[in-house]
Amino acid sequence: MIIDKIKKLKEQRNAVILAHNYQIPEVQDIADHTGDSLELARKATQIDCDVIVFCGVRFMGETAHILSPEKTVLLPEPDAGCPLADMVDVEELREMKDNNPGATTICYVNSSAEVKAESDICCTSANAVKVVSSLNGSPIIFVPCRHLGGYVQKVTGKNLVLARGFCPTHHHISTDQILKLKNDMPDAKVLVHPECTTEVIDIADYVCSTSQMFKAIEESGARRFIVGTENGLLHPLRKRYPELEFFPPSEDCVCPNMKKITLEKVLISLETMEYKIQLDPDVRQRALGSLERMLLHV
Ligand code: SF4
């Protein structure tokens, strides 16, 4: 059976499987650790292993490699990218810096290693408010997610120079979808990810990263929840809280890239030791500085 083969090979390779909360249920269930970007980035530095099989998208595997270069980081599907991360490149970021001399540059972790290397500090959706709040004085450039940047701007009261990027999956969650569900279930609490649009964020009870949603659910005391993020999160939520009910705004809140990794691909990855994340050493070193500064704000 495929799961037994994965477990056996994992042991032989001294490997650990990390899976993002948006992965398909079977992949989340075989993982040693699941979580959001920040949790998985920290986990990559803490675990004792030779190989990390990263079930997520490319920038996440790159982040694990940057933070733990002594480990081999494998991405089971080489084409699992993040359209949001691809919405800003180094040239565009340099242009923004030229137009805003002296600015501090913050990149969301959903960005390429090259963009991280070009930035002063990185953040995730879990600590973006903390990171921005810690900065004084100079203008702040925030790339690539304009929705997360807009949300952080509102919470911190700081003026940010925003890029134009957005996550297609979260961008398509609409107020109509949420209000329709809310109309049928007025008692339901609305949880949304800060990659959603400002309009959606404005009608939410909680705006938080996927891992922070678990805490919000426990604190709320509610029984029903409308969950405005990628639908992969419904699996761990329903598993952890079988007595509660969770509703997606739409069955279409799906990130196709997050669904590219299957159990078969995890097994092949362990068998062939493909696809190794490799980065230019200079880029890796400069991106490390940006990530290490991020980890001071957890
Ligand atoms: Fe990128 Fe959005 Fe997919 Fe996350 S859900 S990997 S931000 S496209």
Side-chain angles (χ1 to χ4, degrees):
M1 195 176 151
I2 191 159
I3 291 175
D4 294 329
K5 285 184 187 169
I6 290 173
K7 285 183 178 163
K8 201 168 160 206
L9 259 179
K10 216 164 58 104
E11 220 175 291
Q12 282 171 13
R13 304 274 196 211
N14 191 24
V16 164
I17 300 177
L18 301 183
H20 192 269
N21 288 325
Y22 297 160
Q23 290 288 294
I24 62 170
E26 307 86 80
V27 168
Q28 292 196 44
D29 289 345
I30 190 81
D32 296 285
H33 303 283
T34 55
D36 63 12
S37 303
L38 182 57
E39 284 178 326
L40 295 178
R42 294 180 72 202
K43 197 53 84 180
T45 65
Q46 296 161 352
I47 45 182
D48 182 20
C49 64
D50 296 320
V51 178
I52 294 175
V53 181
F54 209 112
C55 301
V57 293
R58 174 161 291 277
F59 77 80
M60 296 177 177
E62 286 182 353
T63 302
H65 170 66
I66 293 164
L67 290 169
S68 304
E70 71 290 353
K71 294 167 189 152
T72 299
V73 180
L74 304 174
L75 192 64
E77 167 52 63
D79 287 334
C82 168
L84 167 59
D86 293 340
M87 286 184 197
V88 73
D89 60 17
V90 173
E91 283 67 40
E92 193 178 343
L93 179 53
R94 285 188 183 144
E95 204 181 307
M96 290 175 83
K97 288 166 86 169
D98 287 346
N99 293 336
N100 296 276
T104 301
T105 304
I106 305 181
C107 67
Y108 186 28
V109 73
N110 299 40
S111 55
S112 67
E114 289 76 13
V115 165
K116 288 185 179 77
E118 196 67 28
S119 301
D120 297 303
I121 184 164
C122 188
C123 71
T124 70
S125 54
N127 72 354
V129 168
K130 264 192 196 170
V131 169
V132 171
S133 301
S134 74
L135 302 173
N136 306 311
S138 61
I140 299 168
I141 294 171
F142 190 97
V143 297
C145 185
R146 70 173 190 248
H147 296 319
L148 174 62
Y151 169 70
V152 171
Q153 184 161 251
K154 197 169 166 191
V155 174
T156 61
K158 292 189 190 254
N159 235 341
L160 306 186
V161 180
L162 300 177
R164 294 165 300 168
F166 60 91
C167 159
T169 305
H170 287 89
H171 186 75
H172 286 112
I173 295 175
S174 72
T175 51
D176 284 356
Q177 293 166 341
I178 291 176
L179 292 174
K180 190 170 175 295
L181 285 166
K182 187 79 184 164
N183 195 38
D184 296 341
M185 301 178 286
D187 58 306
K189 292 287 179 200
V190 178
L191 307 161
V192 307
H193 192 278
E195 285 171 23
C196 291
T197 63
T198 310
E199 295 75 28
V200 166
I201 286 175
D202 284 348
I203 59 167
D205 296 298
Y206 298 93
V207 182
C208 39
S209 75
T210 52
S211 292
Q212 289 168 339
M213 285 185 189
F214 289 83
K215 203 168 158 232
I217 287 162
E218 284 164 22
E219 282 175 4
S220 73
R223 313 288 304 167
R224 301 202 276 190
F225 300 88
I226 299 160
V227 185
T229 190
E230 210 276 348
N231 288 350
L233 185 68
L234 296 170
H235 175 66
L237 289 179
R238 287 173 178 152
K239 215 166 140 180
R240 172 108 53 112
Y241 309 108
E243 71 286 10
L244 305 180
E245 288 184 276
F246 300 97
F247 302 87
S250 149
E251 293 303 324
D252 297 335
C253 301
V254 171
C255 171
N257 281 283
M258 280 286 183
K259 308 306 184 201
K260 286 182 177 171
I261 295 176
T262 58
L263 284 181
E264 287 74 17
K265 288 181 185 173
V266 173
L267 177 61
I268 293 169
S269 184
L270 279 163
E271 280 169 350
T272 61
M273 293 296 281
E274 296 276 14
Y275 295 86
K276 287 189 185 76
I277 299 281
Q278 284 168 327
L279 293 171
D280 174 272
D282 173 59
V283 168
R284 193 199 78 75
Q285 196 54 42
R286 289 188 294 124
L288 177 64
S290 162
L291 283 168
E292 283 180 337
R293 286 187 280 279
M294 170 186 93
L295 291 174
L296 297 174
H297 298 275
V298 290

